[in-house]
Amino acid sequence: GFLSGLIAGLHRWVIDIGGFTAFACGLSTIIEGLIAGYSSKIFKNIKTDWLWALLMGGFSEIIQMIIILIIAKPFSQAVSLVHIIWFPMIFVNSIGIAIFIGITQQIFLEKEQIAAEKAELILKIANKTLPYLRKGFNIETAISTAQIIYDMTGIEAVAITDEEKILAHIGIGSDHHRSGCGLMTDLTYEVIKTGEYVVARNKEEIGCKCEKCGLYSAIIVPLKEREKVIGTLKLYKTQKPGVTNLDIQLALGLAELFSTQIELSKIDYQKKLLTKT
């Protein structure tokens, strides 16, 4: 709060903005910053932040009027100035602050809601893909899994690979990204080699060898069995702004759940072998 007030108020005094009120306004702005910073700790648990902002904005502007009357000289001009500016500064500024805080708070609430919806979507996809991935990690189960992700997310293309070939590709690019074909993008090799996810922001970064490929951006995440990379999950976008942070979190969440399901399928398979033995 102090630093914000200092940035907003110091230049008014140094550059002499406001004439005879320059120092008074600069000082009052710094004090308003301190009031805002301190009051945020007192009222941090209040649900109606916009109402708190309205009240504190009005209180801070009243403090500024008082400081102008005390410091600015001559006093008669200070009184005349306060008479003119008190209403817009106290009421209009306070309303502006309240609107700003309300909009900011709404943005955070919407982000939380979107994140919650993504988490719910991941669980729904996991539940639908569980019967397939528990049967093993192959072309048939990969196609079914990719189709479910494609239908439920609105992603333009979904692909699943193992270490050597494409197991499934649903959506844009399926004319040349075919099941059973070798890996076609350089980034896929990089993810398999490093075990770290990669985000491609443009076609050049994707590195598809087909010049007419319509895939614009992608998030490629590794699928692991314990610590070993056994394949990748790839979500593609075809238009700007491309892959978003929410898409990245979606892909990471799905990859983690799929890796667990694949590992469990191996355990089930080993149990069946043991039973047969």
Side-chain angles (χ1 to χ4, degrees):
F2 171 74
L3 290 175
S4 298
L6 188 66
I7 292 170
L10 186 61
H11 75 284
R12 296 197 62 175
W13 176 44
V14 174
I15 306 177
D16 195 29
I17 298 175
F20 75 101
T21 64
F23 176 71
C25 289
L27 178 63
S28 63
T29 303
I30 295 172
I31 292 174
E32 285 182 274
L34 285 169
I35 292 172
Y38 182 73
S39 62
S40 68
K41 294 183 176 294
I42 298 175
F43 298 101
K44 63 182 179 180
N45 294 322
I46 291 180
K47 293 182 179 181
T48 52
D49 287 349
W50 66 269
L51 180 58
W52 159 78
L54 179 69
L55 296 175
M56 293 310 300
F59 174 74
S60 298
E61 294 292 10
I62 290 172
I63 296 297
Q64 184 170 16
M65 299 299 108
I66 294 172
I67 292 174
I68 290 174
L69 290 174
I70 293 174
I71 296 178
K73 303 297 180 184
F75 180 74
S76 59
Q77 291 188 22
V79 172
S80 299
L81 178 66
V82 169
H83 180 72
I84 295 171
I85 67 174
W86 75 271
F87 180 80
M89 290 194 67
I90 293 175
F91 289 96
V92 180
N93 282 1
S94 300
I95 293 171
I97 293 169
I99 293 172
F100 175 79
I101 294 296
I103 292 173
T104 305
Q105 186 181 34
Q106 189 62 34
I107 290 172
F108 282 112
L109 290 174
E110 287 179 0
K111 286 182 67 177
E112 290 178 1
Q113 183 178 356
I114 292 171
E117 289 174 354
K118 284 291 183 181
E120 184 180 2
L121 177 61
I122 290 172
L123 291 175
K124 287 182 178 179
I125 293 174
N127 286 332
K128 286 198 172 186
T129 57
L130 180 60
Y132 300 102
L133 290 177
R134 290 297 289 267
K135 295 178 181 178
F137 187 53
N138 51 54
I139 290 179
E140 291 182 3
T141 59
I143 290 174
S144 299
T145 300
Q147 187 68 56
I148 290 170
I149 299 172
Y150 180 79
D151 293 337
M152 294 184 67
T153 62
I155 296 291
E156 281 83 358
V158 180
I160 298 175
T161 76
D162 60 14
E163 297 173 87
E164 300 175 349
K165 62 182 179 295
I166 300 170
L167 297 180
H169 187 103
I170 307 296
I172 303 297
S174 58
D175 56 332
H176 57 280
H177 293 269
R178 297 189 181 95
S179 299
C181 295
L183 302 178
M184 299 185 65
T185 60
D186 298 332
L187 285 184
T188 305
Y189 287 107
E190 180 181 340
V191 171
I192 292 172
K193 182 179 179 180
T194 63
E196 301 291 334
Y197 79 89
V198 173
V199 178
R201 301 294 182 184
N202 51 57
K203 295 181 65 174
E204 289 72 22
E205 290 183 4
I206 291 176
C208 180
K209 297 175 177 62
C210 178
E211 294 182 359
K212 296 181 179 180
C213 184
L215 303 176
Y216 176 80
S217 61
I219 165 69
I220 306 174
V221 294
L223 298 174
K224 298 180 179 181
E225 184 183 342
R226 297 181 181 176
E227 296 302 320
K228 180 185 177 183
V229 178
I230 60 171
T232 64
L233 169 66
K234 303 190 282 187
L235 305 183
Y236 290 101
K237 289 289 190 73
T238 59
Q239 298 177 348
K240 293 182 179 181
V243 173
T244 65
N245 288 333
L246 290 173
D247 296 325
I248 294 173
Q249 295 304 316
L250 174 65
L252 291 174
L254 289 175
E256 186 174 349
L257 288 170
F258 291 167
S259 296
T260 302
Q261 291 176 358
I262 293 169
E263 190 170 339
L264 289 173
S265 72
K266 291 290 182 70
I267 294 173
D268 286 343
Y269 178 69
Q270 291 170 359
K271 284 182 179 180
K272 289 178 182 179
L273 288 180
L274 181 60
T275 301
K276 287 182 180 180
T277 302

